[in-house]
Amino acid sequence: MSDLPISVRLNPETGIPEQYDNHIQRSLSDLKGQFQNEVEYYRMMAEEDRLLYEVYELSRPHVSGELLTGVSVIHSGLIGDEFVMTKGHFHEVLETAECYYCLQGQGAMVLENPEGDCVVEPMQEGSIVYIPPRWAHRAVNTSLKDKFVFLFVYPAHSGHDYGTIESRGFRKLVLYKDGEAVIVENPGWSAQGSE
Ligand code: S6P
Ligand code: ZN
């Protein structure tokens, strides 16, 4: 891997980088147990393990001093009354931050820390969300027709802890109710899995 500077253009129509190293695709099956309406989840799974989101990443060494950057594309739709969303994670190195910049669409970032604080930040084209160290984060596409596309940048040694969110969920959910996105307490949230 060269240490020369990298310049990549984002496709003006899609926001997707014209060159990238990794293309990660996550489908319904990757989010098993994360949607509250399990009946609807399994009904949809029986039809198709549909693609929920994609990550286009530039590869750099996973060491302190480097940054990882790329673009995530969250597709639109509902699973029951929950919008399509990412798995969400803490960084394994908890004291690492991240920055998201919305390129297209609209969404919400669900954020929480081990101390129990939880906030939901809306995003639209041009919004930046700065995620301080210690805060888990999940992106939710709150549009039923458009993709939610954002650029991310975070320290390359951060790593990912998916297990904590997989076992206990986030404290808040973003649901589609009466034609709009509403934030509710997660009735399925469990203190189990917390540090
Ligand atoms: C990585 C950063 C994003 C997410 C991506 C998918 O720290 O937050 O690149 O990885 O948006 O989300 P997730 O929760 O499946 O990694
Ligand atoms: Zn992250």
Side-chain angles (χ1 to χ4, degrees):
M1 190 177 296
S2 138
D3 265 331
L4 293 172
I6 304 167
S7 169
V8 174
R9 187 166 178 267
L10 304 182
N11 181 297
E13 298 292 319
T14 63
I16 296 169
E18 288 180 345
Q19 290 95 39
Y20 52 85
D21 300 303
N22 305 321
H23 180 203
I24 301 156
Q25 295 180 287
R26 292 218 163 108
S27 307
L28 261 183
S29 56
D30 294 306
L31 274 81
K32 186 168 173 238
Q34 294 303 300
F35 293 102
Q36 56 166 5
N37 187 336
E38 296 231 308
V39 173
E40 186 57 14
Y41 174 84
Y42 284 109
R43 190 196 65 74
M44 291 177 72
M45 273 294 291
E47 268 180 14
E48 184 195 0
D49 184 12
R50 62 164 286 209
L51 180 64
L52 299 183
Y53 60 98
E54 304 176 69
V55 182
Y56 300 85
E57 196 182 62
L58 306 183
S59 180
R60 294 297 304 165
H62 291 187
V63 298
S64 173
E66 293 275 357
L67 296 171
L68 290 182
T69 191
V71 169
S72 295
V73 177
I74 319 298
H75 294 277
S76 60
L78 291 173
I79 294 85
D81 56 2
E82 261 178 294
F83 293 103
V84 172
M85 63 189 187
T86 60
K87 282 164 76 86
H89 55 266
F90 284 92
H91 288 168
E92 200 173 354
V93 179
L94 200 54
E95 304 295 338
T96 51
E98 183 154 356
C99 195
Y100 280 22
Y101 172 63
C102 180
L103 299 163
Q104 285 182 16
Q106 61 175 56
M109 293 298 303
V110 183
L111 303 146
E112 74 177 51
N113 65 16
E115 289 67 46
D117 304 305
C118 186
V119 297
V120 179
E121 291 293 336
M123 291 192 87
Q124 59 187 6
E125 192 176 321
S127 305
I128 290 176
V129 167
Y130 175 73
I131 305 161
R134 307 182 68 75
W135 287 73
H137 37 286
R138 162 178 283 164
V140 181
N141 184 351
T142 54
S143 166
L144 295 184
K145 57 179 176 45
D146 298 322
K147 296 181 172 91
F148 173 38
V149 185
F150 56 85
L151 180 134
F152 57 83
V153 186
Y154 65 103
H157 69 295
S158 301
H160 294 94
D161 161 19
Y162 288 104
T164 305
I165 295 300
E166 272 168 11
S167 60
R168 75 177 188 198
F170 278 83
R171 286 173 164 81
K172 291 189 194 291
L173 302 175
V174 185
L175 304 182
Y176 181 65
K177 272 217 163 87
D178 303 325
E180 60 178 2
V182 295
I183 299 158
V184 300
E185 295 298 317
N186 179 4
W189 185 81
S190 153
Q192 284 175 1
S194 55
E195 295 111 280

